[in-house]
Amino acid sequence: MKIAVLPGDGIGPEIVSQAVKVMDVLSREGMKIELEYGDIGGAGYDAAGDPYPAITSRLAKEADAVLLGAVGGYRYDSLPRPMRPEQGLLRIRKELNLFANLRPAMLYPELAGSSSLRPEVVSGLDIMILRELTGDIYFGQPKGLRKNDDGEREGYDTMLYSESEIARIAHVAFKTAMKRKKRLCSVDKANVLETSVLWREVVTAIARDYPEVELSHMYVDNAAMQLVRNPKQFDVIVTGNMFGDILSDEASMLTGSIGMLPSASLDSQGKGLFEPIHGSAPDIAGQNVANPLATILSVAMMMRHTFDDEATAQRIEDAVRKALFEGFRTPDIHQEGMKRVGTKEMGDAVAARL
Ligand code: NAD
Ligand code: IPM
Ligand code: MN
């Protein structure tokens, strides 16, 4: 297994080190894992003047899978757009054609009390958010800044989806639902946006290929509300790039912390990039307090989706569960009576239980 490891910025290097501890355990057992490190985001800009250096691009293309920490930092926020860390992330997703982003919001029973919602609202929560990742207003052209006729500056972006882009994510969504509770909710804003009218039409047409899946549609504003009102009504949610970005951060809090949510970004062959859904958390970087579990759980997703190794994926998830069961908690999920630990200690706890 050739894995490109791109720690990135902020807490990226700290949390990725913990995921590497987990892979080291697997290596010592005889699994053939080869790690190659590269720079991305602000780290790429510092090393090579580019948030997605050519050498990193080569590394990512040659690897079987990519493990990424996070990108971004205050220092880079005033750079011209193409040099900003976030562009590195968008470019690697686009270049590798990683259109299907799986963001599972699953509550570990031990964390029911860490959620900002009452335990009975979230206990048993298990939602798969499928976010389209290479289209929408993120990539639609034209976009830019211009002066209008009054000489005033205006900014503009283009929300855009082609039928084929919608169809391919819809197929992944229906197939995902088939492996779960067979309920799919497609989230859009078809009451206002033409992009969403097309989205809804294409998803509805594809539903005929999957008669066993119960398809529903929901407007995004309602979906945001339903996620905190009664989140357990959802099984699989499929939505566009921007709505998925927002709803997945919202859903993460149901599970106790944004530091708990892993993700897999896959191409049509299942090859992909694995990263926590959160950012570089510059406010807590370098303090050994970030929760590394989302990154560790991203390795489990890598084993499952790229290497087709369900047993190892489950072993990693079980090790996380054990560490939580035994009371290990980083500050973001800490509650009275539990063992408050740092990033490194949490990594050690999971590795030991693996
Ligand atoms: P963020 O996700 O980095 O942080 C939001 C809040 O959650 C912060 O208070 C942070 O401390 C906390 N948090 C995040 N991850 C945590 C973890 N593992 N453990 C404990 N607490 C955690 O979002 P932001 O502050 O809006 O953005 C910071 C930077 O990250 C920006 O530059 C942004 O563009 C970038 N970003 C990158 C990614 C990515 O690389 N995939 C995702 C989101 C944001
Ligand atoms: C995410 C992040 C990224 C996104 C940013 C950093 C480009 O928020 O992975 O959720 O918006 O996709
Ligand atoms: Mn996001």
Side-chain angles (χ1 to χ4, degrees), residues 105-127 181 227-234 253-256:
M106 207 264 288
L107 179 79
Y108 283 85
E110 291 78 13
L111 295 185
S114 300
S115 171
S116 47
L117 295 187
R118 289 194 310 277
E120 67 267 27
V121 179
V122 291
S123 69
L125 182 88
D126 180 6
I127 306 175
K181 294 184 208 129
L227 269 175
V228 288
R229 189 186 78 96
N230 175 21
K232 282 186 271 180
Q233 72 186 280
F234 296 109
M253 268 321 292
L254 308 175
T255 73

Side-chain angles (χ1 to χ4, degrees), residues 39-100:
D39 293 314
I40 195 162
Y45 178 77
D46 290 339
D50 183 348
Y52 188 40
I55 182 167
T56 303
S57 159
R58 202 170 328 124
L59 190 69
K61 276 190 234 155
E62 284 169 4
D64 300 313
V66 180
L67 177 70
L68 193 144
V71 300
Y74 309 133
R75 277 200 298 133
Y76 311 103
D77 285 346
S78 48
L79 288 173
R81 175 72 58 196
M83 292 298 135
R84 295 215 204 143
E86 293 79 2
Q87 291 301 311
L89 190 56
L90 298 179
R91 280 165 61 198
I92 192 173
R93 288 172 179 171
K94 192 74 173 176
E95 184 176 77
L96 300 181
N97 220 357
L98 308 173
F99 67 93

Side-chain angles (χ1 to χ4, degrees), residues 91-299:
R91 280 165 61 198
I92 192 173
R93 288 172 179 171
K94 192 74 173 176
E95 184 176 77
L96 300 181
N97 220 357
L98 308 173
F99 67 93
N101 183 213
L102 278 67
R103 298 188 160 191
M106 207 264 288
L107 179 79
Y108 283 85
E110 291 78 13
L111 295 185
S114 300
S115 171
S116 47
L117 295 187
R118 289 194 310 277
E120 67 267 27
V121 179
V122 291
S123 69
L125 182 88
D126 180 6
I127 306 175
M128 179 62 83
I129 298 181
L130 199 53
R131 170 190 179 194
E132 199 290 330
L133 202 61
T134 52
D136 203 356
I137 196 163
Y138 274 62
F139 293 95
Q141 291 293 340
K143 61 164 73 220
L145 281 172
R146 64 187 170 206
K147 283 228 169 97
N148 68 16
D149 293 343
D150 300 328
E152 191 189 5
R153 286 194 310 151
E154 54 187 25
Y156 57 100
D157 297 273
T158 305
M159 182 176 261
L160 190 146
Y161 267 122
S162 66
E163 285 183 286
S164 60
E165 283 176 311
I166 302 167
R168 65 181 181 175
I169 190 73
H171 280 292
V172 177
F174 282 105
K175 287 188 178 123
T176 304
M178 281 300 289
K179 288 192 210 141
R180 296 173 46 104
K181 294 184 208 129
K182 300 193 171 64
R183 282 189 290 116
L184 176 63
C185 180
S186 171
V187 171
D188 63 36
K189 188 74 186 173
N191 50 347
V192 176
L193 303 172
E194 292 306 322
T195 323
S196 285
V197 171
L198 184 67
W199 177 281
R200 195 174 277 219
E201 224 179 88
V202 172
V203 172
T204 304
I206 287 170
R208 284 182 219 120
D209 298 348
Y210 305 88
E212 284 176 57
V213 176
E214 182 197 316
L215 172 68
S216 62
H217 301 275
M218 195 180 280
Y219 297 134
V220 63
D221 46 353
N222 184 24
M225 187 274 283
Q226 295 293 341
L227 269 175
V228 288
R229 189 186 78 96
N230 175 21
K232 282 186 271 180
Q233 72 186 280
F234 296 109
D235 176 22
V236 180
I237 291 176
V238 64
T239 190
N241 203 344
M242 185 161 69
F243 299 154
D245 179 42
I246 299 166
L247 294 179
S248 56
D249 264 35
E250 186 191 7
S252 75
M253 268 321 292
L254 308 175
T255 73
S257 168
I258 192 164
M260 292 301 300
L261 234 71
S263 87
S265 307
L266 306 174
D267 69 7
S268 49
Q269 321 299 327
K271 180 180 161 174
L273 180 151
F274 300 83
E275 59 168 336
I277 78 152
H278 60 71
S280 54
D283 54 333
I284 58 167
Q287 299 172 26
N288 193 42
V289 293
N291 186 342
L293 294 180
T295 317
I296 291 174
L297 291 167
S298 297
V299 176

